[in-house]
Amino acid sequence: APLMLAGLAGMVNATADRVILKYLLPEGLADAQIGIYGACYKLAVLITLFIQAFRMGAEPFFFSHAKEKNSRETFARIMNLFVAVCMVAFLVVMLFLDLFKWFIPNPAYHEGLRVVPILMLANVFLGIYYNQSVWYKLTDRTHVGGTISLIGASITIVLLFALIPRMGYMGAAWTTLICYASMAAISYLWGQRHYPIPYNVGRVLSYMAGAVFLWWVAEQLPVAGALNYTLRSVLLGVYLWVAWRLERGVLRATAG
């Protein structure tokens, strides 16, 4: 029952933005904003698909390894790897957004591409929250999942009503990011009291900040054409190399 409640609250977090956009903006403007926001939201699907695949494989792994001696250290290393992969997906889309944008066939919707990095980061935080959810499932505190999801839904509703009238679909995007980041932070702090896992918070945040910084650097490059794509590929390669050097032990253990 608590997990079902969490699922219902999660539906509010995932869909309330488009519903409330329709009722808080003038009729003609609302339809246009919903179309732009919905089209650009789809570009975050790369991270969403990875998160869903991860959940299907990770939860059985967590339960089967929970009683092993170093299980909590293993869970922490998996978090590092998970965030690194998510941020690689972030960089792939953001470094080559001028190519990915053509998955949106209507050029009139391209003005909304500025929500893409916000929504992709929001989904990374959602993935972090899902990754952390192992603690309340292993300790039979599933009510915690429902409570955190309800807190997230409350944050979503309050911020949507506060930001959409002022910022339109940008308010909806920022609401999504703040909601999922808050849920991840609450789950982490709560979990450390009942089932402490030595997550390397510094490394996780460094992966996220590093990817965002490389994307910012790419946006400042005064080049175009083939040279632009080459330099962006180099930046992506640098990030992959650093992540590989830091996480290769986890990858080898997983493959083994």
Side-chain angles (χ1 to χ4, degrees), residues 7 9 12 23 31 55 59 88-89 95 109 127 141-142 147-148 182 186 194-195 200 225-226 247:
V12 172
Y23 291 100
D31 292 339
R55 291 183 68 187
E59 289 195 3
V88 167
L95 290 177
Y109 289 170
R141 289 183 170 89
T142 51
T147 301
I148 295 175
S182 299
I186 293 169
H194 299 286
Y195 191 85
N200 191 332
E247 305 301 336

Short mmCIF file of all heavy atoms in Angstrom, two decimals, residues 7 9 12 23 31 55 59 88-89 95 109 127 141-142 147-148 182 186 194-195 200 225-226 247:
data_model
loop_
_atom_site.label_atom_id
_atom_site.label_comp_id
_atom_site.label_asym_id
_atom_site.label_seq_id
_atom_site.Cartn_x
_atom_site.Cartn_y
_atom_site.Cartn_z
N GLY A 7 3.57 5.56 -5.80
CA GLY A 7 3.37 5.58 -7.25
C GLY A 7 2.37 6.63 -7.67
O GLY A 7 2.57 7.33 -8.68
N ALA A 9 1.62 9.40 -5.98
CA ALA A 9 2.26 10.71 -5.80
C ALA A 9 3.28 10.97 -6.90
O ALA A 9 3.43 12.10 -7.37
CB ALA A 9 2.94 10.76 -4.43
N VAL A 12 1.68 12.41 -9.88
CA VAL A 12 1.46 13.85 -9.74
C VAL A 12 2.72 14.61 -10.12
O VAL A 12 2.68 15.59 -10.88
CB VAL A 12 1.05 14.19 -8.29
CG1 VAL A 12 1.01 15.71 -8.08
CG2 VAL A 12 -0.31 13.58 -7.96
N TYR A 23 -4.29 25.41 -16.94
CA TYR A 23 -5.26 26.19 -16.17
C TYR A 23 -4.72 27.49 -15.59
O TYR A 23 -5.50 28.34 -15.16
CB TYR A 23 -5.83 25.31 -15.04
CG TYR A 23 -6.69 24.19 -15.55
CD1 TYR A 23 -6.19 22.90 -15.67
CD2 TYR A 23 -8.00 24.44 -15.95
CE1 TYR A 23 -6.97 21.87 -16.17
CE2 TYR A 23 -8.79 23.42 -16.45
CZ TYR A 23 -8.27 22.13 -16.56
OH TYR A 23 -9.06 21.12 -17.06
N ASP A 31 -1.99 26.47 -24.68
CA ASP A 31 -1.85 25.40 -25.67
C ASP A 31 -0.47 25.43 -26.32
O ASP A 31 0.17 24.39 -26.52
CB ASP A 31 -2.94 25.52 -26.74
CG ASP A 31 -4.33 25.21 -26.18
OD1 ASP A 31 -4.39 24.54 -25.14
OD2 ASP A 31 -5.31 25.65 -26.77
N ARG A 55 16.61 0.27 -12.91
CA ARG A 55 15.73 -0.19 -11.82
C ARG A 55 15.39 -1.67 -11.97
O ARG A 55 15.34 -2.41 -10.98
CB ARG A 55 14.45 0.64 -11.80
CG ARG A 55 14.63 2.08 -11.37
CD ARG A 55 13.31 2.80 -11.30
NE ARG A 55 12.47 2.30 -10.23
CZ ARG A 55 11.20 2.65 -10.03
NH1 ARG A 55 10.62 3.50 -10.88
NH2 ARG A 55 10.51 2.17 -9.03
N GLU A 59 17.37 -3.54 -8.56
CA GLU A 59 16.64 -3.93 -7.35
C GLU A 59 16.85 -5.40 -6.99
O GLU A 59 17.10 -5.71 -5.83
CB GLU A 59 15.17 -3.57 -7.49
CG GLU A 59 14.92 -2.06 -7.44
CD GLU A 59 13.46 -1.71 -7.20
OE1 GLU A 59 12.65 -2.65 -7.03
OE2 GLU A 59 13.14 -0.52 -7.18
N VAL A 88 26.94 11.10 -18.62
CA VAL A 88 27.40 10.88 -19.99
C VAL A 88 26.23 11.07 -20.95
O VAL A 88 26.35 11.73 -22.00
CB VAL A 88 28.02 9.48 -20.15
CG1 VAL A 88 28.20 9.13 -21.63
CG2 VAL A 88 29.36 9.40 -19.43
N ALA A 89 25.07 10.51 -20.59
CA ALA A 89 23.87 10.70 -21.41
C ALA A 89 23.51 12.19 -21.50
O ALA A 89 23.12 12.69 -22.57
CB ALA A 89 22.70 9.90 -20.84
N LEU A 95 25.72 18.33 -25.65
CA LEU A 95 26.81 18.73 -26.54
C LEU A 95 26.39 18.73 -28.00
O LEU A 95 26.96 19.46 -28.82
CB LEU A 95 28.03 17.82 -26.33
CG LEU A 95 28.78 17.97 -25.00
CD1 LEU A 95 29.91 16.95 -24.92
CD2 LEU A 95 29.34 19.39 -24.84
N TYR A 109 8.93 24.86 -32.09
CA TYR A 109 9.08 24.35 -30.73
C TYR A 109 10.52 24.44 -30.22
O TYR A 109 10.77 24.22 -29.04
CB TYR A 109 8.63 22.88 -30.66
CG TYR A 109 7.14 22.66 -30.78
CD1 TYR A 109 6.62 21.39 -30.95
CD2 TYR A 109 6.25 23.73 -30.73
CE1 TYR A 109 5.25 21.17 -31.05
CE2 TYR A 109 4.88 23.54 -30.84
CZ TYR A 109 4.38 22.25 -31.00
OH TYR A 109 3.04 22.06 -31.10
N GLY A 127 16.65 9.53 -10.62
CA GLY A 127 17.36 8.26 -10.64
C GLY A 127 18.15 8.03 -9.36
O GLY A 127 18.22 6.91 -8.84
N ARG A 141 10.65 -0.35 5.63
CA ARG A 141 10.06 0.95 5.94
C ARG A 141 9.50 1.56 4.66
O ARG A 141 9.80 2.70 4.31
CB ARG A 141 11.12 1.89 6.55
CG ARG A 141 11.55 1.53 7.96
CD ARG A 141 12.55 2.55 8.49
NE ARG A 141 12.82 2.40 9.91
CZ ARG A 141 13.77 1.61 10.41
NH1 ARG A 141 14.55 0.91 9.58
NH2 ARG A 141 13.95 1.52 11.71
N THR A 142 8.68 0.78 3.98
CA THR A 142 8.16 1.25 2.69
C THR A 142 7.27 2.49 2.84
O THR A 142 7.05 3.21 1.86
CB THR A 142 7.38 0.14 1.98
OG1 THR A 142 6.41 -0.41 2.87
CG2 THR A 142 8.33 -0.98 1.54
N THR A 147 5.83 8.63 2.04
CA THR A 147 5.95 9.94 2.68
C THR A 147 6.79 10.90 1.82
O THR A 147 6.41 12.05 1.59
CB THR A 147 6.61 9.80 4.06
OG1 THR A 147 5.81 8.93 4.88
CG2 THR A 147 6.74 11.15 4.74
N ILE A 148 7.93 10.40 1.34
CA ILE A 148 8.80 11.26 0.52
C ILE A 148 8.10 11.64 -0.78
O ILE A 148 8.21 12.79 -1.23
CB ILE A 148 10.13 10.55 0.24
CG1 ILE A 148 10.91 10.34 1.54
CG2 ILE A 148 10.99 11.37 -0.75
CD1 ILE A 148 12.18 9.54 1.38
N SER A 182 14.98 17.64 -4.11
CA SER A 182 14.54 17.62 -2.71
C SER A 182 14.26 16.20 -2.25
O SER A 182 14.63 15.80 -1.13
CB SER A 182 13.29 18.49 -2.53
OG SER A 182 13.54 19.83 -2.88
N ILE A 186 16.17 14.39 0.83
CA ILE A 186 15.42 13.88 2.00
C ILE A 186 15.68 12.40 2.19
O ILE A 186 15.91 11.93 3.32
CB ILE A 186 13.91 14.15 1.81
CG1 ILE A 186 13.64 15.65 1.85
CG2 ILE A 186 13.10 13.43 2.89
CD1 ILE A 186 12.23 16.03 1.42
N HIS A 194 18.88 5.30 9.44
CA HIS A 194 18.37 3.94 9.65
C HIS A 194 19.17 2.86 8.93
O HIS A 194 19.22 1.71 9.39
CB HIS A 194 16.90 3.88 9.17
CG HIS A 194 15.99 4.81 9.91
ND1 HIS A 194 15.56 4.57 11.19
CD2 HIS A 194 15.43 5.99 9.53
CE1 HIS A 194 14.76 5.55 11.59
NE2 HIS A 194 14.67 6.43 10.60
N TYR A 195 19.77 3.20 7.80
CA TYR A 195 20.53 2.21 7.03
C TYR A 195 21.65 2.96 6.33
O TYR A 195 21.60 3.19 5.12
CB TYR A 195 19.61 1.52 6.01
CG TYR A 195 20.21 0.30 5.35
CD1 TYR A 195 20.15 -0.95 5.95
CD2 TYR A 195 20.83 0.40 4.10
CE1 TYR A 195 20.68 -2.08 5.32
CE2 TYR A 195 21.36 -0.71 3.47
CZ TYR A 195 21.28 -1.94 4.09
OH TYR A 195 21.82 -3.06 3.47
N ASN A 200 29.51 8.37 -1.73
CA ASN A 200 30.54 9.39 -1.94
C ASN A 200 29.84 10.62 -2.54
O ASN A 200 29.84 10.81 -3.76
CB ASN A 200 31.63 8.85 -2.87
CG ASN A 200 32.84 9.75 -2.91
OD1 ASN A 200 32.73 10.96 -2.70
ND2 ASN A 200 34.01 9.18 -3.20
N GLY A 225 30.72 24.30 -37.34
CA GLY A 225 30.95 23.24 -38.31
C GLY A 225 31.65 22.03 -37.74
O GLY A 225 31.49 21.67 -36.57
N ALA A 226 32.50 21.40 -38.57
CA ALA A 226 33.17 20.16 -38.20
C ALA A 226 34.09 20.35 -36.99
O ALA A 226 34.17 19.47 -36.12
CB ALA A 226 33.96 19.62 -39.38
N GLU A 247 36.04 4.70 -12.10
CA GLU A 247 35.07 3.65 -11.82
C GLU A 247 35.40 2.30 -12.45
O GLU A 247 34.58 1.39 -12.40
CB GLU A 247 33.68 4.08 -12.33
CG GLU A 247 33.20 5.42 -11.79
CD GLU A 247 33.10 5.45 -10.26
OE1 GLU A 247 32.95 4.37 -9.65
OE2 GLU A 247 33.17 6.55 -9.69
#
